[in-house]
Amino acid sequence: MLNWIKRRLGNNDLQWEGPVVPEPRVQCPCCDYISLAERGSYQICPVCFWEDDGQDVDELDAPSGPNHGLTLRQGRRNFHDFGAYESDMAKYVLLPEQRSRFRLQERQL
Ligand SMILES: [Zn+2]
């Protein structure tokens, strides 16, 4: 989700600047990188391309509609094997060397 910022000019008019991509603060349920600004806002993870519909690792076997019906368990396994939640999405994700701008908090599930 993008946020817009506005700046007050010297003459008190407001000027819109942006959109601004917010700092990632929360963990992707699929790749475990801290790559999302918030949870459940259908943001697409730049690391694994999982679309965050709010499902979390306590529902590993529930199909995720926005992610072509894959479960988180399948997505996590695909990320491990192909570098994306689905092998077809590997061409869209960051290269492994570009992931370093995000922090990884790996979970063993
Ligand atoms: Zn991810």
Side-chain angles (χ1 to χ4, degrees):
M1 175 149 312
L2 297 176
N3 292 323
W4 290 78
I5 58 170
K6 55 188 175 182
R7 182 167 63 104
R8 193 169 294 279
L9 301 174
N11 60 5
N12 239 10
D13 286 341
L14 292 175
Q15 176 183 329
W16 290 97
E17 295 181 337
V20 174
V21 178
E23 275 296 304
R25 287 188 298 262
V26 294
Q27 187 173 31
C28 173
C30 183
C31 67
D32 286 346
Y33 277 84
I34 310 297
S35 58
L36 303 172
E38 60 190 6
R39 290 298 322 273
S41 63
Y42 296 91
Q43 187 182 357
I44 292 176
C45 173
V47 176
C48 70
F49 231 67
W50 180 263
E51 185 170 342
D52 178 32
D53 58 356
Q55 187 177 334
D56 213 333
V57 293
D58 59 346
E59 297 177 288
L60 280 175
D61 296 309
S64 170
N67 294 289
H68 303 158
L70 261 66
T71 66
L72 256 178
R73 189 182 304 279
Q74 292 167 317
R76 291 176 64 87
R77 188 174 304 133
N78 286 343
F79 177 69
H80 182 267
D81 293 346
F82 308 115
Y85 89 90
E86 193 174 42
S87 60
D88 288 353
M89 300 297 161
K91 55 184 172 281
Y92 301 116
V93 299
L94 294 174
L95 296 171
E97 58 268 26
Q98 294 172 314
R99 295 176 191 160
S100 61
R101 62 191 234 226
F102 299 107
R103 195 159 44 87
L104 175 61
Q105 285 184 338
E106 203 164 4
R107 293 177 282 197
Q108 302 298 328
L109 301 173

